[in-house]
């Protein structure tokens, strides 16, 4: 369980760093770029990927799609944390698991049991309640774009990574390293364009923040993979503990440390989100 705890800590720490970015005037796009450089370096050191295996036969369309999506969604993630807080952003990210589940049903024709259907229905209600706000002001409605994009983006990314995992001609870690490399290139091109246009200025503090961000971002992936390896016979345990842990820890930190305000309906949404994850986990056990 130590790997699951470490993965949860790394995941929530990423959200905390993004929350603190505005306070210390961090350029998110610069930090994200350095983050991917740090992640690909750590991936190379820990996983020793054989880059020679990456040939024309690799799933390049998926690699390129992920290289564009990953830095883009990271920016939406930062905007969501900034405008709506850690609690709602973490829940949006965790409930994005519904998208690959729906893809499994509609694209891969996977059979659904009653637990999974119940989990999806509860999750749908949880999403509505979690992001419900008393004010109907336009700016609040606009802010909802960020968690919605986090929800959709991470869901699509999860589907693409699952496609890579099913690609047997290349080790998953080699594909992961390739995706990090491409994401770094895409982010770097965006930074160069913004510097040339005068929209941002390069600052050393962004490099430091990006390195820290990359360390925890990679740590989340590393410990999650180690948890699955250590509990190979109980993948649903890892799945449930990770998602529930991030929702609960993220909520506690958001409310206690950052004084994020939630309504009674928001709290009800959080409880339902936890229930949805439990039902989906039970559905995995039922299949076995």
């Amino acid at each position: 369980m130590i790997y699951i705890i470490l993965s949860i800590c790394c995941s929530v720490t990423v959200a905390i760093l993004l929350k603190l970015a505005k306070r210390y005037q961090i350029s998110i796009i610069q930090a994200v770029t350095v983050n991917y450089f740090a992640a690909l370096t750590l991936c190379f050191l820990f996983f020793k990927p054989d880059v020679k295996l990456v040939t024309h036969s690799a799933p390049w369309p998926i690699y390129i799609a992920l290289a564009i999506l990953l830095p883009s969604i990271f920016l939406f993630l930062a905007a969501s944390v900034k405008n709506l807080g850690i609690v709602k952003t973490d829940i949006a990210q965790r409930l994005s698991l519904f998208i690959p589940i729906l893809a499994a049903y509609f694209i891969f024709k996977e059979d659904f049991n009653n637990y999974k259907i119940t989990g999806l229905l509860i999750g749908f209600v949880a999403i509505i309640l979690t992001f419900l706000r008393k004010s109907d002001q336009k700016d609040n409605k606009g802010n909802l774009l960020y968690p919605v994009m986090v929800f959709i983006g991470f869901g699509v990314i999860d589907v693409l990574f699952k496609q890579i995992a099913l690609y047997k001609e290349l080790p998953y870690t080699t594909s992961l390293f390739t995706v990090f490399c491409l994401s770094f290139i895409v982010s770097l091109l965006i930074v160069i364009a913004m510097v040339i246009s005068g929209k941002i200025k390069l600052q050393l503090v962004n490099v430091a923040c990006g390195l820290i961000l990359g360390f925890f971002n990679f740590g989340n992936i590393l410990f999650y993979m180690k948890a699955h390896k250590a509990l190979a016979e109980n993948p649903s345990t890892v799945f449930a503990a990770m998602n529930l842990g991030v929702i609960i820890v993220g909520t506690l930190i958001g409310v206690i440390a950052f004084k994020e305000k939630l309504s009674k309906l928001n709290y009800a949404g959080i409880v339902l989100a936890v229930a949805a994850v439990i039902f989906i986990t039970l559905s995995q056990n039922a299949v076995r």
Side-chain angles (χ1 to χ4, degrees):
M1 291 294 291
I2 185 63
Y3 292 132
I4 297 176
I5 294 172
L6 289 172
S7 183
I8 291 171
C9 290
C10 288
S11 180
V12 175
T13 301
V14 169
I16 294 172
L17 290 172
L18 294 175
K19 180 78 173 180
L20 295 172
K22 181 183 178 181
R23 181 182 301 178
Y24 296 100
Q25 298 181 330
I26 301 298
S27 169
I28 296 298
I29 184 58
Q30 290 183 54
V32 167
T33 302
V34 178
N35 150 77
Y36 283 118
F37 177 76
L40 71 89
T41 301
L42 291 170
C43 185
F44 183 81
L45 294 175
F46 278 88
F47 298 140
K48 302 293 191 296
D50 189 351
V51 292
K52 295 179 181 178
L53 294 176
V54 182
T55 62
H56 64 279
S57 62
W60 286 106
I62 298 179
Y63 287 168
I64 294 171
L66 282 169
I68 296 172
L69 277 172
L70 282 172
S72 302
I73 293 305
F74 223 127
L75 297 179
F76 279 110
L77 183 70
S80 182
V81 170
K82 173 184 173 183
N83 289 279
L84 288 178
I86 294 173
V87 178
K88 296 183 178 183
T89 301
D90 275 341
I91 291 175
Q93 184 178 349
R94 293 300 145 186
L95 289 182
S96 66
L97 61 92
F98 295 139
I99 292 179
I101 289 174
L102 292 173
Y105 180 78
F106 289 107
I107 298 176
F108 304 110
K109 308 301 179 182
E110 179 182 313
D111 292 330
F112 274 27
N113 54 37
N114 291 333
Y115 286 119
K116 189 165 289 187
I117 294 173
T118 303
L120 287 172
L121 292 175
I122 293 175
F124 179 74
V125 178
I127 292 170
I128 295 175
L129 294 180
T130 302
F131 302 117
L132 201 62
R133 305 185 69 155
K134 293 181 180 179
S135 174
D136 292 326
Q137 296 178 4
K138 291 182 179 180
D139 58 336
N140 285 341
K141 290 182 178 180
N143 287 340
L144 289 178
L145 170 67
Y146 304 125
V148 168
M149 290 303 297
V150 168
F151 173 79
I152 296 174
F154 274 100
V156 173
I157 287 170
D158 195 17
V159 172
L160 294 176
F161 269 122
K162 279 182 170 57
Q163 290 289 84
I164 288 178
L166 293 173
Y167 191 78
K168 302 302 182 183
E169 294 184 28
L170 281 174
Y172 180 76
T173 50
T174 298
S175 291
L176 185 65
F177 175 76
T178 305
V179 169
F180 280 152
C181 286
L182 294 175
S183 298
F184 170 68
I185 293 171
V186 170
S187 300
L188 184 61
L189 290 175
I190 295 174
V191 169
I192 292 173
M194 293 181 74
V195 170
I196 293 175
S197 64
K199 293 182 178 180
I200 60 173
K201 293 182 179 180
L202 296 177
Q203 293 178 304
L204 191 60
V205 64
N206 299 316
V207 176
C209 182
L211 290 174
I212 298 172
L213 192 65
F215 174 81
F216 285 105
N217 192 24
F218 177 77
N220 177 30
I221 297 171
L222 175 65
F223 294 125
Y224 187 64
M225 292 178 68
K226 282 184 174 293
H228 270 295
K229 186 176 181 180
L231 299 170
E233 296 181 358
N234 297 286
S236 59
T237 300
V238 179
F239 172 85
M242 182 63 190
N243 286 282
L244 292 175
V246 170
I247 291 174
I248 294 170
V249 175
T251 298
L252 291 174
I253 291 178
V255 173
I256 297 173
F258 293 99
K259 311 299 181 183
E260 294 179 6
K261 296 181 180 179
L262 300 174
S263 68
K264 291 181 180 179
L265 289 177
N266 294 153
Y267 280 113
I270 293 170
V271 173
L272 289 178
V274 171
V277 173
I278 292 173
F279 271 101
I280 291 174
T281 304
L282 290 173
S283 75
Q284 292 182 335
N285 288 330
V287 171
R288 288 180 174 79

